[in-house]
Amino acid sequence: MIKPPALRPGDTIGIMAPSSRVDREAIEQACHWLDNYGFALEIHPQTFAEHYQSAGTHQEKLAAFHGLWNNPKVRLIMSARGGNRSGALLPLLDYPLLSRRSKLLIGYSDMTALLSGIQRRTGLVTFHGPALNSFTNGTEEKHLELAFQVMAGMETELPMWGTQIMRPGKADGRLIGGNLSLICSLMGTRWEPDFKDAILFLEDAGDQLSRYDRMLLQLRNAGVFERVNGVMFGDFSMADDKGAVPFGYHLDEILNDALGNAKIPVVTHAPFGHGVNLVTFPVGVMARLDARASHEVTLKLTESPVEKA
């Protein structure tokens, strides 16, 4: 495992857009928030590039990512937003560079491909948490502040507000996961996460219930739920059932069916995803999920995700 240096007050945050193109006004507004937190900013020009729906071509994105990674001033690289196509960078990345010069890397949604892929190939701890547009899309400010505290190594117990227990139990394991559709896109590739003895966390947004069912069945049929020690389901916001013939199943039914006979702790409605809640999870770090029926659900990091000076 490679732990990046802890975030410090006044550090420089590098911004680039690995996925879809951005709204300049929203990004500039979000940058004012970061200014107020006392961070310096290095906004790569690629952030505002456009190529169809994407924020520039694959090569433009790659040059921006490597440029920020090579910049000694930049301690944290933050995704501008999610969307589509960050996974196209996975076969192009300079993994020896990423291993040699470790940095903090944070984002969510489509960024799951890079967070999981880089963690798998290099062992670098990455962070599933706010992107730059989280500052303007309704994510509660306490989650933004929590992200900085987690990356500074100041938080060990992560809040689990509103979490419900589907299958009680207690488990230890490495935190692995992110957006369900992106995790599925990595299956069978060189960047497929190592699910063995992990605590898997999954969320998604804006899709059909039947498609969530299909993706979860893919994970079940691949034996994922037999390999992990626990599962946390987050927000599945804006889920639809608008087929010509309604799918009919409720989300909790879909989640429970996909788990089969797995005798592991499982929680739902955990505070992460595309809604107002987005607790930051360090990907690859050991944690303990306590979802015993007689207790409030807790998630505790059992090791630091960062190297402190």
Side-chain angles (χ1 to χ4, degrees):
M1 179 188 297
I2 302 173
K3 296 181 180 181
L7 188 67
R8 304 169 305 190
D11 275 347
T12 296
I13 299 176
I15 307 295
M16 58 87 59
S19 303
S20 296
R21 65 191 190 193
V22 306
D23 178 86
R24 180 182 288 268
E25 184 177 343
I27 292 300
E28 290 175 347
Q29 181 181 348
C31 286
H32 288 309
W33 282 71
L34 288 177
D35 283 335
N36 292 336
Y37 279 102
F39 295 108
L41 298 179
E42 186 76 30
I43 305 173
H44 197 283
Q46 173 274 334
T47 304
F48 303 108
E50 295 186 6
H51 181 70
Y52 300 113
Q53 188 200 69
S54 288
T57 64
H58 298 333
Q59 290 302 322
E60 287 177 302
K61 294 177 181 180
L62 185 69
F65 192 86
H66 284 159
L68 291 176
W69 208 280
N70 268 313
N71 186 334
K73 293 189 303 182
V74 172
R75 303 265 295 194
L76 162 64
I77 296 176
M78 177 177 280
S79 167
R81 61 157 293 182
N84 293 295
R85 307 203 92 193
S86 76
L89 298 181
L90 288 174
L92 306 175
L93 290 172
D94 183 346
Y95 292 101
L97 167 67
L98 307 188
S99 300
R100 186 171 62 251
R101 181 175 287 174
S102 60
K103 292 182 186 288
L104 298 154
L105 178 66
I106 192 168
Y108 76 113
S109 192
D110 190 58
M111 187 68 171
T112 294
L114 293 181
L115 298 176
S116 292
I118 290 171
Q119 197 284 323
R120 175 64 162 157
R121 286 292 298 273
T122 68
L124 176 68
V125 174
T126 59
F127 295 83
H128 182 275
L132 190 61
N133 71 332
S134 300
F135 289 79
T136 59
N137 70 359
T139 300
E140 293 188 2
E141 189 169 353
K142 63 185 178 183
H143 294 292
L144 306 175
E145 294 174 349
L146 176 65
F148 300 135
Q149 292 167 356
V150 170
M151 290 187 289
M154 297 168 57
E155 287 290 338
T156 57
E157 189 155 324
L158 303 179
M160 296 292 280
W161 307 294
T163 303
Q164 299 176 17
I165 298 174
M166 178 173 280
R167 300 186 185 187
K170 185 177 180 181
D172 289 81
R174 290 171 300 100
L175 289 170
I176 295 293
N179 183 266
L180 171 61
S181 64
L182 271 297
I183 293 295
C184 286
S185 77
L186 298 176
M187 299 299 292
T189 73
R190 289 173 285 172
W191 303 279
E192 179 180 322
D194 180 4
F195 297 105
K196 182 174 172 52
D197 298 330
I199 295 174
L200 177 63
F201 62 95
L202 297 169
E203 62 83 31
D204 216 312
D207 213 333
Q208 297 291 314
L209 289 172
S210 60
R211 287 172 55 83
Y212 291 145
D213 181 69
R214 186 180 302 129
M215 288 184 275
L216 288 163
L217 285 175
Q218 179 185 0
L219 298 185
R220 175 180 173 177
N221 291 338
V224 168
F225 299 125
E226 297 170 6
R227 285 182 270 164
V228 300
N229 289 349
V231 179
M232 299 187 296
F233 292 114
D235 186 17
F236 284 76
S237 56
M238 300 175 287
D240 284 328
D241 188 7
K242 294 182 178 178
V245 178
F247 191 58
Y249 295 91
H250 296 293
L251 179 62
D252 280 357
E253 290 180 284
I254 293 169
L255 301 179
N256 194 47
D257 284 351
L259 293 162
N261 295 321
K263 295 186 173 11
I264 54 175
V266 180
V267 299
T268 63
H269 304 283
F272 67 96
H274 282 68
V276 296
N277 293 317
L278 186 50
V279 170
T280 295
F281 294 150
V283 180
V285 166
M286 289 296 296
R288 176 169 297 136
L289 173 65
D290 190 340
R292 289 174 290 177
S294 58
H295 295 72
E296 183 178 347
V297 176
T298 61
L299 181 67
K300 184 175 183 179
L301 302 181
T302 54
E303 65 177 328
S304 175
V306 294
E307 289 289 352
K308 298 181 181 179

